[in-house]
Short mmCIF file of all heavy atoms in Angstrom, two decimals:
data_model
loop_
_atom_site.label_atom_id
_atom_site.label_comp_id
_atom_site.label_asym_id
_atom_site.label_seq_id
_atom_site.Cartn_x
_atom_site.Cartn_y
_atom_site.Cartn_z
N LEU A 107 0.83 -1.19 0.00
CA LEU A 107 0.00 0.00 0.00
C LEU A 107 0.87 1.24 0.00
O LEU A 107 1.77 1.37 0.82
CB LEU A 107 -0.88 0.05 1.25
CG LEU A 107 -1.82 -1.11 1.52
CD1 LEU A 107 -2.56 -0.88 2.83
CD2 LEU A 107 -2.80 -1.28 0.37
N LEU A 108 0.56 2.16 -0.89
CA LEU A 108 1.19 3.48 -0.91
C LEU A 108 0.15 4.45 -0.37
O LEU A 108 -0.92 4.60 -0.94
CB LEU A 108 1.62 3.86 -2.32
CG LEU A 108 2.23 5.26 -2.50
CD1 LEU A 108 3.42 5.48 -1.57
CD2 LEU A 108 2.62 5.48 -3.94
N VAL A 109 0.47 5.07 0.76
CA VAL A 109 -0.47 5.96 1.45
C VAL A 109 0.06 7.38 1.40
O VAL A 109 1.19 7.64 1.79
CB VAL A 109 -0.67 5.52 2.92
CG1 VAL A 109 -1.68 6.41 3.62
CG2 VAL A 109 -1.08 4.06 3.01
N ILE A 110 -0.78 8.32 0.94
CA ILE A 110 -0.40 9.72 0.90
C ILE A 110 -1.40 10.55 1.71
O ILE A 110 -2.61 10.41 1.57
CB ILE A 110 -0.27 10.27 -0.54
CG1 ILE A 110 0.17 11.74 -0.51
CG2 ILE A 110 -1.53 10.05 -1.34
CD1 ILE A 110 0.60 12.31 -1.85
N ASP A 111 -0.84 11.38 2.58
CA ASP A 111 -1.63 12.28 3.42
C ASP A 111 -0.69 13.42 3.81
O ASP A 111 0.51 13.20 3.95
CB ASP A 111 -2.13 11.55 4.67
CG ASP A 111 -3.28 12.26 5.35
OD1 ASP A 111 -3.09 13.43 5.76
OD2 ASP A 111 -4.36 11.66 5.48
N ASP A 112 -1.23 14.61 3.99
CA ASP A 112 -0.38 15.74 4.36
C ASP A 112 -0.11 15.79 5.86
O ASP A 112 0.74 16.56 6.30
CB ASP A 112 -0.98 17.06 3.88
CG ASP A 112 -2.34 17.32 4.46
OD1 ASP A 112 -3.20 16.43 4.40
OD2 ASP A 112 -2.57 18.43 4.97
N SER A 113 -0.76 14.98 6.66
CA SER A 113 -0.56 14.96 8.11
C SER A 113 0.39 13.83 8.50
O SER A 113 0.06 12.65 8.33
CB SER A 113 -1.90 14.78 8.82
OG SER A 113 -1.68 14.49 10.19
N GLU A 114 1.53 14.19 9.03
CA GLU A 114 2.50 13.19 9.49
C GLU A 114 1.93 12.34 10.61
O GLU A 114 2.20 11.14 10.71
CB GLU A 114 3.80 13.87 9.93
CG GLU A 114 4.56 14.56 8.82
CD GLU A 114 5.18 13.61 7.80
OE1 GLU A 114 5.39 12.42 8.11
OE2 GLU A 114 5.44 14.06 6.67
N LEU A 115 1.12 12.95 11.47
CA LEU A 115 0.50 12.22 12.59
C LEU A 115 -0.46 11.14 12.06
O LEU A 115 -0.42 9.99 12.51
CB LEU A 115 -0.25 13.20 13.50
CG LEU A 115 -0.88 12.62 14.74
CD1 LEU A 115 0.17 11.99 15.65
CD2 LEU A 115 -1.63 13.71 15.50
N ILE A 116 -1.28 11.50 11.12
CA ILE A 116 -2.21 10.53 10.53
C ILE A 116 -1.44 9.45 9.79
O ILE A 116 -1.78 8.26 9.87
CB ILE A 116 -3.25 11.23 9.64
CG1 ILE A 116 -4.19 12.04 10.52
CG2 ILE A 116 -3.99 10.25 8.76
CD1 ILE A 116 -5.27 12.80 9.83
N LEU A 117 -0.42 9.83 9.06
CA LEU A 117 0.38 8.84 8.34
C LEU A 117 1.00 7.83 9.30
O LEU A 117 1.01 6.62 9.02
CB LEU A 117 1.49 9.51 7.53
CG LEU A 117 1.08 10.15 6.22
CD1 LEU A 117 2.27 10.87 5.59
CD2 LEU A 117 0.52 9.13 5.25
N ALA A 118 1.52 8.30 10.42
CA ALA A 118 2.13 7.40 11.40
C ALA A 118 1.10 6.42 11.95
O ALA A 118 1.38 5.22 12.10
CB ALA A 118 2.77 8.20 12.53
N ALA A 119 -0.09 6.91 12.25
CA ALA A 119 -1.16 6.04 12.76
C ALA A 119 -1.58 5.02 11.70
O ALA A 119 -1.75 3.83 12.00
CB ALA A 119 -2.35 6.89 13.21
N GLU A 120 -1.75 5.48 10.46
CA GLU A 120 -2.14 4.58 9.38
C GLU A 120 -1.08 3.51 9.15
O GLU A 120 -1.40 2.33 8.99
CB GLU A 120 -2.38 5.37 8.09
CG GLU A 120 -3.60 6.25 8.15
CD GLU A 120 -3.71 7.23 6.99
OE1 GLU A 120 -2.74 7.41 6.23
OE2 GLU A 120 -4.79 7.81 6.84
N GLU A 121 0.16 3.94 9.14
CA GLU A 121 1.25 2.98 8.93
C GLU A 121 1.27 1.91 10.02
O GLU A 121 1.40 0.72 9.75
CB GLU A 121 2.60 3.69 8.87
CG GLU A 121 3.75 2.74 8.60
CD GLU A 121 5.07 3.46 8.40
OE1 GLU A 121 5.24 4.61 8.86
OE2 GLU A 121 5.96 2.86 7.77
N ALA A 122 1.11 2.33 11.27
CA ALA A 122 1.12 1.38 12.39
C ALA A 122 -0.02 0.38 12.29
O ALA A 122 0.18 -0.84 12.42
CB ALA A 122 1.06 2.14 13.72
N VAL A 123 -1.22 0.87 12.03
CA VAL A 123 -2.41 0.01 11.97
C VAL A 123 -2.34 -0.93 10.77
O VAL A 123 -2.63 -2.13 10.88
CB VAL A 123 -3.69 0.87 11.93
CG1 VAL A 123 -4.91 0.05 11.56
CG2 VAL A 123 -3.91 1.55 13.26
N LEU A 124 -1.94 -0.41 9.62
CA LEU A 124 -1.91 -1.23 8.41
C LEU A 124 -0.77 -2.24 8.42
O LEU A 124 -0.93 -3.37 7.96
CB LEU A 124 -1.83 -0.33 7.17
CG LEU A 124 -3.07 0.53 6.93
CD1 LEU A 124 -2.82 1.55 5.83
CD2 LEU A 124 -4.29 -0.33 6.64
N THR A 125 0.37 -1.86 8.98
CA THR A 125 1.49 -2.79 9.10
C THR A 125 1.12 -3.93 10.05
O THR A 125 1.39 -5.10 9.76
CB THR A 125 2.76 -2.07 9.58
OG1 THR A 125 3.10 -1.06 8.61
CG2 THR A 125 3.93 -3.02 9.73
N ALA A 126 0.48 -3.58 11.17
CA ALA A 126 0.03 -4.61 12.12
C ALA A 126 -0.98 -5.55 11.49
O ALA A 126 -1.08 -6.72 11.88
CB ALA A 126 -0.56 -3.94 13.36
N ALA A 127 -1.72 -5.08 10.49
CA ALA A 127 -2.72 -5.90 9.80
C ALA A 127 -2.11 -6.72 8.67
O ALA A 127 -2.84 -7.40 7.95
CB ALA A 127 -3.84 -5.00 9.26
N GLY A 128 -0.79 -6.65 8.50
CA GLY A 128 -0.12 -7.50 7.53
C GLY A 128 0.21 -6.88 6.19
O GLY A 128 0.71 -7.55 5.29
N PHE A 129 -0.06 -5.59 6.03
CA PHE A 129 0.28 -4.91 4.78
C PHE A 129 1.73 -4.45 4.81
O PHE A 129 2.29 -4.19 5.87
CB PHE A 129 -0.60 -3.67 4.59
CG PHE A 129 -2.03 -3.96 4.28
CD1 PHE A 129 -2.99 -3.86 5.27
CD2 PHE A 129 -2.43 -4.33 3.00
CE1 PHE A 129 -4.32 -4.11 5.00
CE2 PHE A 129 -3.76 -4.59 2.72
CZ PHE A 129 -4.72 -4.48 3.72
N GLU A 130 2.33 -4.33 3.64
CA GLU A 130 3.61 -3.64 3.49
C GLU A 130 3.24 -2.22 3.10
O GLU A 130 2.55 -2.00 2.11
CB GLU A 130 4.45 -4.29 2.40
CG GLU A 130 5.83 -3.70 2.28
CD GLU A 130 6.69 -4.43 1.25
OE1 GLU A 130 6.34 -5.55 0.83
OE2 GLU A 130 7.71 -3.84 0.86
N VAL A 131 3.67 -1.25 3.90
CA VAL A 131 3.18 0.12 3.76
C VAL A 131 4.32 1.09 3.52
O VAL A 131 5.35 1.03 4.18
CB VAL A 131 2.41 0.56 5.03
CG1 VAL A 131 1.87 1.97 4.89
CG2 VAL A 131 1.29 -0.42 5.36
N ARG A 132 4.09 1.99 2.57
CA ARG A 132 4.96 3.16 2.39
C ARG A 132 4.07 4.38 2.54
O ARG A 132 3.01 4.45 1.91
CB ARG A 132 5.60 3.19 1.02
CG ARG A 132 6.72 2.20 0.90
CD ARG A 132 7.96 2.85 0.30
NE ARG A 132 8.98 1.81 0.21
CZ ARG A 132 9.76 1.62 -0.81
NH1 ARG A 132 9.68 2.41 -1.86
NH2 ARG A 132 10.65 0.66 -0.81
N THR A 133 4.51 5.31 3.36
CA THR A 133 3.75 6.54 3.54
C THR A 133 4.55 7.70 2.98
O THR A 133 5.77 7.74 3.08
CB THR A 133 3.43 6.79 5.02
OG1 THR A 133 4.64 6.90 5.76
CG2 THR A 133 2.56 5.68 5.60
#
């Protein structure tokens, strides 16, 4: 998953949740 958002805080939360769910994530 490639995730784009202008909020670093939201990106960090998304990365943590999605990585824990088994995705490979780049924010």
Side-chain angles (χ1 to χ4, degrees):
L107 303 178
L108 177 55
V109 182
I110 182 169
D111 198 300
D112 60 310
S113 168
E114 294 291 338
L115 183 61
I116 290 180
L117 282 176
E120 291 169 348
E121 182 174 22
V123 168
L124 294 171
T125 300
F129 290 101
E130 185 176 345
V131 181
R132 285 229 181 137
T133 60

